């Protein structure tokens, strides 16, 4: 029974919102190249691009790193790869924290 409790408790941890490791203020300063497609407040005016406002920071970090490495393909992946190719891990964390901090 103890094992079941531990598994249930561990599963519950995955439901908690993750805190972004980045600096949202720094991310805002780094977001200038994102504005054209993702909007000034992370909300798009062109439906083919995703809204970033309020998105989970860990998801955004994972997605940006996947664009960098080429693990994401199709759609606008090549465009995104060009934009994120020069970003450091800190830049990515900051951008993720910024967009996660915005109201969806």
């Amino acid at each position: 029974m103890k094992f079941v409790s531990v598994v249930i408790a561990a599963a519950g941890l995955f439901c908690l919102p993750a805190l972004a490791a980045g600096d949202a203020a720094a991310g805002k300063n780094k977001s200038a190249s994102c504005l054209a497609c993702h909007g000034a407040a992370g909300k798009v005016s062109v439906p083919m691009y995703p809204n970033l406002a309020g998105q989970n920071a860990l998801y955004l970090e994972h997605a940006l790193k996947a664009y960098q490495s080429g693990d994401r393909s199709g759609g606008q992946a090549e465009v995104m790869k060009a934009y994120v190719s020069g970003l450091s891990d800190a830049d990515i964390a900051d951008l993720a924290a910024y967009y996660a901090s915005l109201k969806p």
Side-chain angles (χ1 to χ4, degrees):
M1 197 60 142
K2 186 175 182 180
F3 175 74
V4 172
S5 298
V6 171
V7 170
I8 292 171
L13 292 176
F14 292 110
C15 296
L16 297 175
L19 299 176
D23 178 341
K28 181 177 183 178
N29 292 333
K30 297 173 183 179
S31 69
S33 64
C34 308
L35 303 179
C37 298
H38 297 288
K43 296 178 185 172
V44 301
S45 58
V46 179
M48 73 179 274
Y49 302 115
N51 288 318
L52 300 180
Q55 185 59 265
N56 180 286
L58 290 178
Y59 168 78
L60 290 172
E61 285 187 50
H62 176 74
L64 291 174
K65 289 178 181 181
Y67 284 122
Q68 267 187 336
S69 67
D71 288 342
R72 276 201 170 188
S73 60
Q76 297 293 316
E78 288 303 314
V79 172
M80 282 298 299
K81 187 173 184 176
Y83 277 103
V84 301
S85 64
L87 297 178
S88 68
D89 287 347
D91 293 335
I92 288 173
D94 292 345
L95 286 166
Y98 169 62
Y99 284 110
S101 76
L102 298 176
K103 184 177 179 182

